[in-house]
Amino acid sequence: MTDAIAPSRLRAALVTCSELPDLDPDDVPLIGALADRRVAATPAVWDDPTVDWGAYDLVVVRSAWDYAPRRDEFVAWARSVPSLLNPADVIAWNTDKAYLHELAERGVPTIPTVWLDPERNLSARAVHTRMPAHGDFVIKPTVSAGAQGTGRYESGDATERGLGIRHALDLLAQGRHVMIQPYQHAVDTVGETGLIFVDGRFSHAIGKRALLSGPYDADDASLYVREQLDSATATAEQLAVAEKALAVAAEVLPAAVKPLYARVDLVPDAVGSPLLIELELTEPSLFLGFDGDAVDRFADAIALRALRARVS
C-alpha cells in the first residue's frame, strides 16, 4: 500500500473528544500504521474551535463519545467538515436509534421495541401500560452513546417497575425520545457479537458482554459502559443479518454515501437466531487489537480514501 501513496505526505485527522484527547487506546496504533503509508494522522477534538478541519485530506470520526447531550451541535459540526468519514448524512441518520425502526420495517431482524414520543405528554400510567408484562426490560433514550442513560428493570418487581416509569418520564420531560425493549437474556450467557466491516468488507468479529445489571443511576453515569471483550468467529447466519442491515442502510442513505467503517452488533433471540441491537456507523469502537491484521486493513482503507480525496 505504501508505494501506492503519492510522495507528498497526506494528512488525516482522527476525531475524538476532550475526555480522550489522545484517542482511545484501541485507535492509537493507527497513527503509526498510517505513517507507514505516508499519511500523517493526528488526534483532533471535534468541538475544539482551534482545529482547521480544512487542512486535512481526510477527517475520520473515532472516539467522539461525548456527542449525545449535544447531538444537534455534533451533526452541525459534521456538516461543516470537508472530507469527513463517515460523512454527515450517515451521522445525522445513525446518531438517533430511530433508524432501527426503519431497518425493522425493511426486514432486518431487530429486538421488538416500543417507541415513546415526548410530544405525546404520556402519563405514568400510559408509560406503565407500554412496558412488558413479563421478564426484564431495558429503557434508553434513542440518542445516546456507550449505553449512557440506559437501565435494566424487572417487570415483576413493583419497585423496579416504578423506577423504570420514573426513568422514562424523566427522559421524556427532557424532550428525549425513549425506547423500551425486552431484555435479551442471551447477553448474559452467549453475549453479543460485534461484526466489524471496513470499506464494506467483513474484517473481524468480537464477543462482548455488557455490564448492564440494574436500574439507571444518574450519579453513576460515565462516558461509556465497560464491557467484557474477547475475539469471536462470525457465523454464516450472523454475517447474513449484518450484510442485510448494511444493504438496507445503503438503500436508506444517499447513493453516494460509502461508509468507511461499520460495526453490526447482534445478540441471539430465544431460539438462537441473531437479532440486530445496533448498526454503529458513527463512532464505534472497532476493537482493532482483537485481530492481528485489523489495524493494517483499516489503515489501508483510510490511506486510500485520503489519496482519493487529495486527487479529486
Side-chain angles (χ1 to χ4, degrees):
M1 183 68 199
T2 301
D3 292 339
I5 300 300
S8 57
R9 202 158 174 80
L10 301 168
R11 296 191 65 199
L14 302 177
V15 179
T16 186
C17 61
S18 58
E19 292 188 45
L20 296 166
D22 299 316
L23 297 175
D24 180 71
D26 187 59
D27 288 316
V28 170
L30 276 175
I31 296 175
L34 286 167
D36 292 340
R37 290 157 175 80
R38 301 182 188 275
V39 179
T42 55
V45 175
W46 72 271
D47 58 352
D48 180 350
T50 68
V51 176
D52 178 8
W53 300 105
Y56 295 97
D57 297 290
L58 203 66
V59 178
V60 182
V61 180
R62 295 308 312 125
S63 44
W65 295 334
D66 62 351
Y67 76 83
R70 297 182 291 157
R71 186 230 176 197
D72 290 346
E73 181 183 344
F74 185 62
V75 171
W77 164 82
R79 295 202 184 283
S80 74
V81 176
S83 301
L84 180 70
L85 296 175
N86 282 338
D89 285 338
V90 173
I91 288 173
W93 180 74
N94 191 239
T95 49
D96 188 328
K97 293 179 181 62
Y99 73 81
L100 290 168
H101 187 58
E102 287 188 77
L103 297 184
E105 286 186 325
R106 292 170 180 256
V108 179
T110 62
I111 297 173
T113 303
V114 173
W115 305 89
L116 305 183
D117 186 339
E119 293 186 4
R120 296 191 63 183
N121 296 315
L122 296 171
S123 66
R125 178 172 178 76
V127 172
H128 169 78
T129 61
R130 286 163 171 77
M131 290 177 174
H134 306 285
D136 291 4
F137 60 93
V138 173
I139 293 175
K140 55 187 171 183
T142 64
V143 177
S144 68
Q148 297 170 10
T150 301
R152 172 181 171 183
Y153 304 90
E154 184 181 342
S155 63
D157 184 301
T159 299
E160 287 208 3
R161 199 170 181 89
L163 289 172
I165 292 170
R166 175 47 51 197
H167 181 190
L169 289 174
D170 285 346
L171 291 171
L172 292 167
Q174 297 167 27
R176 304 176 76 178
H177 290 254
V178 175
M179 307 165 63
I180 302 177
Q181 297 176 318
Y183 184 73
Q184 303 300 305
H185 286 276
V187 171
D188 299 327
T189 54
V190 179
E192 297 179 31
T193 304
L195 280 65
I196 290 89
F197 290 76
V198 174
D199 250 350
R201 293 182 292 275
F202 175 67
S203 171
H204 59 288
I206 56 96
K208 57 178 180 172
R209 295 186 185 180
L211 304 181
L212 186 61
S213 58
Y216 171 65
D217 182 357
D219 293 331
D220 194 34
S222 59
L223 191 61
Y224 57 92
V225 174
R226 295 193 178 275
E227 300 160 317
Q228 297 173 348
L229 303 168
D230 203 353
S231 59
T233 300
T235 67
E237 192 175 12
Q238 289 172 331
L239 281 167
V241 171
E243 289 166 355
K244 170 74 171 177
L246 289 169
V248 170
E251 295 171 2
V252 173
L253 292 166
V257 169
K258 305 293 182 185
L260 170 67
Y261 52 83
R263 196 185 79 216
V264 186
D265 290 341
L266 305 171
V267 66
D269 66 11
V271 297
S273 299
L275 296 175
L276 178 70
I277 296 179
E278 289 191 47
L279 171 59
E280 296 270 14
L281 300 174
T282 300
E283 29 60 54
S285 293
L286 299 179
F287 305 112
L288 301 173
F290 285 83
D291 181 276
D293 298 322
V295 170
D296 285 330
R297 280 193 290 271
F298 197 31
D300 281 346
I302 293 172
L304 184 58
R305 294 284 191 109
L307 179 59
R308 289 173 177 169
R310 170 74 65 87
V311 301
S312 63

